[in-house]
Amino acid sequence: MNHKAIYMLIRELSSENARKSLMTDAEFSMLTEEEQADEINRAVNAAHIDRSLIHMAYSTPPPNAENTNSSKNIMIITAVSMIIGFAMFIFGLFKNQSDSELGGLIIAIGLILAAGVPAVCYDVDKIRTELAQKHTGSSISFSEYDADSNYSDGTPPKKVLWTGGIGTALVAASLVSLSIFRGDKLSTAFGALFFAGSVLLSVSLRLNKQRDYDMIMYFPALLGLMLLFIRAAAAVSPEAVPELVTKCFLAYFCLLALSPLIFNIIKLIRCRKKVIAECIDVEVYKRRHYSHLTSYRAYWAYTVNSRAYLHRDLISHSQKPIHEHTELRVNPKDPHDIHKVLFPSGGALILLFCAMVGIITFMAAQGTPIS
């Protein structure tokens, strides 16, 4: 929908008195694109129109059976892959006692099916949905904002793609190593690859200004580092390894259980400065195959040390009114690091993956039976 169509929609949504302050179609057509965007912004404010109504009018295209079926297929593939993956993972643990090589391969494939395939399906569905069903509304709401944002417009920078891609490849290689190496080589290779991959993924998230997920990636990185530490201790005192392994992994799974509390404590310590943020825009998401469900993503503008920042919120089912103000806790050394959520929902998937890999790492560190 172009600026003229949006202006016509504003006229329809305005009251009779508010319409008197609006331009005619001929007057509006004589303006430049930048002037049209400014006039749209002025008209929305003057008529007190909820911007989300305008977004919904042009962000939700007519139903498309092909895309609907595609989304349903992705959901089915995700569910089936997770069920098969968990089944193979459990079967591999039992098989590993009689045939360690085949058992390790089955476990690796099970992890890929249970975690890798659903993650790819989720990203594909998310990208397809965002490209087809949302509108950022930047021409309406962001025209007057010259701010440092916590998201990338279009394709992320190359350094984000390189670090994220290499990190993912290293984590995948660590899982494949389960079916290749044996004994100390397995523990060393798996630990080194998993640690390096997790660190690179954390760096990629930090470069992409995703501070919450960047911090959550410390947990899988700690798992790989812990295995390398156990291998180093084994070289010095082999007889102390069994007891050390038990203590380390007991402590690690306690950390996973307490991760939401740890997350909030660290965020509260880092984010000490309080600022007032304004909701300047709300994206509206409507999924075609769930027409009764509507999700929203708010954009918050705030200032730290005389510099403007834009924060794109996580998608939620609660709608924030335009121009609503809220208090944010911000890291003064890194203004993109804010404390707004108790724990990101996507972080639970990372912790689940850590728990699954932790079981295999525990077996590898013990040297039985997988290593």
Side-chain angles (χ1 to χ4, degrees):
M1 184 177 290
N2 55 34
H3 286 167
K4 186 174 181 180
I6 296 173
Y7 202 69
M8 291 174 63
L9 178 59
I10 293 174
R11 185 181 291 109
E12 292 296 324
L13 295 174
S14 303
S15 62
E16 186 174 347
N17 290 333
R19 290 175 187 169
K20 296 178 181 178
S21 65
L22 300 179
M23 294 181 175
T24 64
D25 290 342
E27 293 173 333
F28 186 79
S29 299
M30 294 177 64
L31 302 177
T32 64
E33 286 194 7
E34 184 176 350
E35 291 172 338
Q36 288 178 352
D38 291 338
E39 171 59 19
I40 287 173
N41 194 45
R42 183 203 66 80
V44 170
N45 293 330
H48 303 289
I49 297 174
D50 187 347
R51 295 174 188 267
S52 63
L53 296 176
I54 301 175
H55 290 173
M56 290 180 65
Y58 61 84
S59 66
T60 307
N64 185 301
E66 181 180 351
N67 287 328
T68 300
N69 292 333
S70 176
S71 295
K72 290 181 178 179
N73 290 338
I74 288 176
M75 293 174 63
I76 294 173
I77 292 172
T78 299
V80 172
S81 179
M82 290 186 69
I83 293 173
I84 296 176
F86 278 116
M88 292 187 67
F89 176 77
I90 295 173
F91 176 72
L93 292 178
F94 287 103
K95 185 65 176 176
N96 195 67
Q97 298 179 7
S98 59
D99 189 339
S100 59
E101 183 174 352
L102 180 59
L105 179 60
I106 293 175
I107 290 174
I109 295 175
L111 280 173
I112 293 173
L113 289 176
V117 173
V120 172
C121 289
Y122 172 80
D123 288 336
V124 170
D125 186 53
K126 181 180 178 182
I127 293 173
R128 187 191 57 78
T129 300
E130 289 186 357
L131 289 176
Q133 300 181 30
K134 78 177 181 65
H135 179 79
T136 60
S138 58
S139 62
I140 297 176
S141 304
F142 302 157
S143 58
E144 70 272 32
Y145 287 93
D146 181 16
D148 186 1
S149 63
N150 73 324
Y151 60 95
S152 303
D153 290 322
T155 304
K158 289 184 178 180
K159 56 186 178 182
V160 174
L161 298 176
W162 274 108
T163 52
I166 296 174
T168 302
L170 290 177
V171 170
S174 70
L175 300 179
V176 174
S177 71
L178 294 172
S179 61
I180 299 176
F181 297 107
R182 290 291 174 270
D184 293 345
K185 291 183 178 180
L186 169 63
S187 302
T188 304
F190 180 73
L193 290 171
F194 199 76
F195 172 72
S198 299
V199 169
L200 279 177
L201 287 174
S202 178
V203 170
S204 178
L205 290 167
R206 173 166 286 275
L207 291 174
N208 207 31
K209 303 174 185 176
Q210 302 298 317
R211 301 299 192 255
D212 289 354
Y213 289 107
D214 158 39
M215 190 167 69
I216 294 174
M217 286 304 299
Y218 294 168
F219 289 98
L222 177 61
L223 187 63
L225 184 63
M226 184 174 61
L227 185 55
L228 291 176
F229 168 74
I230 293 173
R231 284 299 97 199
V236 178
S237 178
E239 65 279 0
V241 170
E243 184 180 357
L244 179 62
V245 168
T246 302
K247 290 181 178 179
C248 284
F249 279 90
L250 180 60
Y252 182 74
F253 282 102
C254 286
L255 286 176
L256 286 186
L258 296 174
S259 55
L261 177 61
I262 297 172
F263 174 86
N264 282 281
I265 291 175
I266 295 176
K267 294 291 284 188
L268 287 172
I269 293 175
R270 293 198 315 197
C271 304
R272 303 184 304 273
K273 185 179 182 65
K274 296 181 179 180
V275 299
I276 300 299
E278 178 186 3
C279 180
I280 62 170
D281 196 13
V282 176
E283 288 180 347
V284 181
Y285 294 77
K286 289 184 72 69
R287 290 184 176 273
R288 299 188 182 97
H289 51 289
Y290 292 125
S291 58
H292 61 289
L293 294 179
T294 302
S295 301
Y296 307 92
R297 189 204 295 273
Y299 285 75
W300 300 91
Y302 56 95
T303 303
V304 178
N305 299 328
S306 302
R307 184 174 181 180
Y309 292 88
L310 273 179
H311 175 77
R312 184 170 67 174
D313 230 341
L314 298 174
I315 295 177
S316 69
H317 295 296
S318 60
Q319 182 179 10
K320 300 294 183 183
I322 300 294
H323 302 308
E324 176 184 293
H325 290 79
T326 189
E327 185 179 79
L328 296 179
R329 295 179 65 96
V330 181
N331 183 349
K333 298 180 180 179
D334 184 4
H336 285 297
D337 184 13
I338 70 173
H339 185 226
K340 194 172 184 297
V341 295
L342 295 178
F343 195 76
S345 57
L349 295 176
I350 298 177
L351 297 183
L352 176 61
F353 177 71
C354 288
M356 294 175 60
V357 177
I359 297 174
I360 293 183
T361 309
F362 177 72
M363 298 168 63
Q366 283 186 317
T368 58
I370 194 170
S371 61

